[in-house]
Amino acid sequence: MLELFTESLRAPNLPATVLLSIVLIYWLISMLGFFDLDMFDAEVEADADAPDGVGGGNGALHAISEFFLLGDIPITILISFFALFFWMGTVLTNYYLGNTSMIFALLIYIPCLIVALLLTKIVVTPLAKLYKQLNKDEEHLPSDFSGSVGMVAIDTTHELMGQAEINRNGDCIRVNIKTTPGKSISKGQSALLIEYYPDKGYYLAEPYETLK
């Protein structure tokens, strides 16, 4: 274990170690409740909804999103697996090749990067199906929540998709929301759901306090 720790901190392996460390810190903080696990996924969905040339929603980004099933699995899980595989590949390759050169390590990163992406794709494919099944009820939300008031869980604007939580018969249901142009709703505020767009999978919402 000490040898692995020492190897991880060598210069050729340090970038991969830093990336994996950031992921581990993120999950640790998430378990303590400081981060919302769906926060980054809502931002990715917002970019995917944007027209070409706006918010990064171009054809290449759309193709990458589809290949890695970003619509079916959280990007945080995707990045976590990639960071783990990339770290393993980098450390093992540098160790068995006896490499101590940072310049040569840059060449090693290329195949390690490709292999890590492919392994990530292989692993997340069955997970995406499981995640989609577990969230089946949320993905097929009925449009009868219009007129309901929910608590915003993720900040939202007209351009950036957020999420709100609705209490329905004792169950907490989370829905995607966007505001009308020029308005924003912050986490912890109340939002009134005005209209549901089933083709886009979100509700148009207004800050509830301004409507009282």
Side-chain angles (χ1 to χ4, degrees):
M1 181 62 71
L2 180 60
E3 185 179 6
L4 177 61
F5 180 75
T6 302
E7 189 67 26
S8 299
L9 296 181
R10 295 185 186 278
N13 301 318
L14 200 54
T17 300
V18 170
L19 175 61
L20 183 61
S21 299
I22 293 174
V23 169
L24 293 176
I25 292 172
Y26 165 79
W27 285 109
L28 177 62
I29 295 177
S30 297
M31 286 188 291
L32 296 176
F34 291 104
F35 281 166
D36 192 303
L37 295 181
D38 296 323
M39 178 173 61
F40 300 106
D41 304 297
E43 294 178 357
V44 170
E45 290 172 6
D47 285 342
D49 286 337
D52 290 350
V54 179
N58 50 45
L61 179 60
H62 181 71
I64 293 173
S65 298
E66 284 196 341
F67 181 77
F68 288 107
L69 306 172
L70 288 181
D72 299 323
I73 194 167
I75 191 174
T76 48
I77 294 179
L78 184 73
I79 293 177
S80 298
F81 277 112
F82 168 76
L84 176 61
F85 292 138
F86 182 63
W87 175 80
M88 292 174 59
T90 301
V91 171
L92 291 175
T93 303
N94 283 316
Y95 175 77
Y96 285 111
L97 292 179
N99 175 51
T100 58
S101 170
M102 191 63 193
I103 296 178
F104 185 62
L106 294 177
L107 298 177
I108 293 176
Y109 291 161
I110 298 176
C112 288
L113 179 68
I114 296 174
V115 172
L117 289 173
L118 292 176
L119 289 176
T120 300
K121 167 66 175 180
I122 293 173
V123 171
V124 301
T125 297
L127 286 179
K129 296 179 180 178
L130 177 61
Y131 192 88
K132 190 173 183 178
Q133 182 63 33
L134 292 175
N135 292 275
K136 185 176 181 180
D137 292 338
E138 182 177 341
E139 292 179 358
H140 298 284
L141 288 172
S143 58
D144 62 356
F145 292 148
S146 297
S148 300
V149 176
M151 183 70 68
V152 175
I154 300 176
D155 296 354
T156 182
T157 65
H158 182 61
E159 294 79 18
L160 180 64
M161 185 181 296
Q163 292 186 340
E165 295 179 346
I166 302 171
N167 190 303
R168 182 60 59 94
N169 298 324
D171 295 327
C172 184
I173 301 174
R174 181 169 289 201
V175 297
N176 296 325
I177 59 172
K178 283 187 177 182
T179 67
T180 52
K183 295 189 177 180
S184 63
I185 315 177
S186 302
K187 180 176 180 179
Q189 293 184 319
S190 297
L192 174 65
L193 307 185
I194 301 174
E195 184 179 358
Y196 181 59
Y197 296 93
D199 56 325
K200 297 183 179 294
Y202 68 81
Y203 282 86
L204 188 65
E206 284 273 6
Y208 183 63
E209 289 80 1
T210 63
L211 302 176
K212 292 182 179 179

